[in-house]
Amino acid sequence: MKVFVPGHITSIFYPIRKNNLLKTGSRGAGVSISHGYEVTGETIDENRIKIFQNGEEVGKDESKISYEVAKEFLEDIGSGIKVEQEFQIPHGSGYGASGAGALGTALCLGKICGKTMHEAGKIAHRKEVQLEGGLGDVYPQLVGGVEIRRREGGPGYGWVDNIIADEEWKIVSASFGNLDTSDIIGDKDQSEELKKVATERIDRIVSNPNIKSLMNNSREFSNEMGFLDDFILDLLLELDEVMSIPPSMIMLGKSVFGFVQEDEIQDVKSVLERYDPIFGPIESRIDFRGARFLK
Amino acid sequence: MKVFVPGHITSIFYPIRKNNLLKTGSRGAGVSISHGYEVTGETIDENRIKIFQNGEEVGKDESKISYEVAKEFLEDIGSGIKVEQEFQIPHGSGYGASGAGALGTALCLGKICGKTMHEAGKIAHRKEVQLEGGLGDVYPQLVGGVEIRRREGGPGYGWVDNIIADEEWKIVSASFGNLDTSDIIGDKDQSEELKKVATERIDRIVSNPNIKSLMNNSREFSNEMGFLDDFILDLLLELDEVMSIPPSMIMLGKSVFGFVQEDEIQDVKSVLERYDPIFGPIESRIDFRGARFLK
């Protein structure tokens, strides 16, 4: 039994925190991509949780959220648990890696324990929020597509709408380093300004929902909020020269992405490579289906 | 521009009516299938709504719900509208044909008018409820998969969860005549009994979510509610002999369906054919993705 969970890129967001972790989340917009996580889960005799990432066993601290997700199933399963994660996306660069690991783990173990997709998703969302992996990746990763998070929260609480998008779009992205989310958000986290700017941009996307409007508003959002440092700004301006639809910054990584037409791909990749990425450039498709069990 | 909308089979339901049409719907369970509707929509100079079904223009009364959905877009579009629907599923037999036509129409015209998937879905849901096409097809048809409708209503209001299901399942179904929904539901529509029996069965599926539990509980539900006439009951009993998972009645058609393994298909089809169906037997796959734009 193997699960695929798409990576998830957020380009606009604002956090909403409540006492109930399932009602906590973010509003915003983003896209699920064809690069992600493949996760398998099984029961083992040895009475502990073993987590492997790309073939190597990792400690509890290196896989904290997946570990805590697995722990939620321990009593039900009544023996040990082995989770194997293979991933094509980096951690800490804004690709929703933590959500993908958590959701993949929850779905595999949820299948063993007899849970629905959304009951498994709730466990992943709760642990993501509680352990500060992220606020708005898990539900979109279940739904897939180019999405607008119109109401915050996990499955059963949030509302993930989709923008109508052509299957043919390619998404090119690259990362130039990790960001500590708290460094960039800092006291802006709960600020009225972030809420106001994001809400205005989200409303514009809802009333004119297409890829161009998504990206224009995302770019303006990161500009207005002062999220773009000189490096990212230079890169985005250079990419503008070779892209018909503006690229934007991935929230929150030192990373950029954009929707690219076939004849633009090579030029876009060349620019990205010149800026010496630590990951990518990768060329993904939109993942329209969301997390799924593979044969 | 062309949209595919899966057919949708409901096997358990109870209606919940509210003043707000978007909060009105049904709770229950069912599955989206690979047979459905292909719909195209375009603007035309002639200032009226033209609807074609399988190549022939049909009158307003024969396509009432799709017509009324199209009418909602008329002002925005500012000219006439032509909608073409090609379908592989019959009307009035419980395949969610009316929802598929409404949703396909709304998505095509929604793309022209700049609406999100769910804003288009809301229009289809509202018209379905208002004109009594159905209560619980549209949102599941957007979501896809084997589903549990855990909260009634259209997109943004309802909650459609999924059962983890193998891609390999085949769904075999056939119809033996149309049913007037009001004939069979009658004054049971709002009855406490329907609500009680359905809720109990839905709860059992949520706590043990798999295909076998779905079908066992669906069969029990239709039994307990007295929905099975002698013809359908005989047919289901005969099918039991050749199926490892019990088949059930489609709500609400004089129709049956079941999840079938490869080596059972021929026997199941033979039994269905002996009962002289007006439609089918057809062999579908689960549609995991839900409504989508085709190239």
Side-chain angles (χ1 to χ4, degrees), chain A residues 8-14 26-31 146-149 163 202 205 214 218 251 257:
Chain A
H8 178 252
I9 290 171
T10 284
S11 59
I12 299 189
F13 79 103
Y14 74 95
S26 72
R27 297 193 185 185
V31 58
V146 185
E147 122 282 334
I148 310 173
R149 300 188 299 287
I163 289 175
I202 296 165
I205 297 167
L214 168 72
S218 297
M251 300 289 138
F257 81 110

Side-chain angles (χ1 to χ4, degrees), chain A residues 17-29:
Chain A
R17 296 180 197 277
K18 307 253 174 79
N19 287 334
N20 183 338
L21 298 175
L22 288 170
K23 292 184 177 174
T24 296
S26 72
R27 297 193 185 185

Side-chain angles (χ1 to χ4, degrees), chain B residues 54-69:
Chain B
N54 289 345
E56 293 198 17
E57 185 166 1
V58 293
K60 185 176 156 175
D61 291 341
E62 287 163 85
S63 59
K64 197 168 153 197
I65 298 177
S66 292
Y67 184 91
E68 290 296 328
V69 167

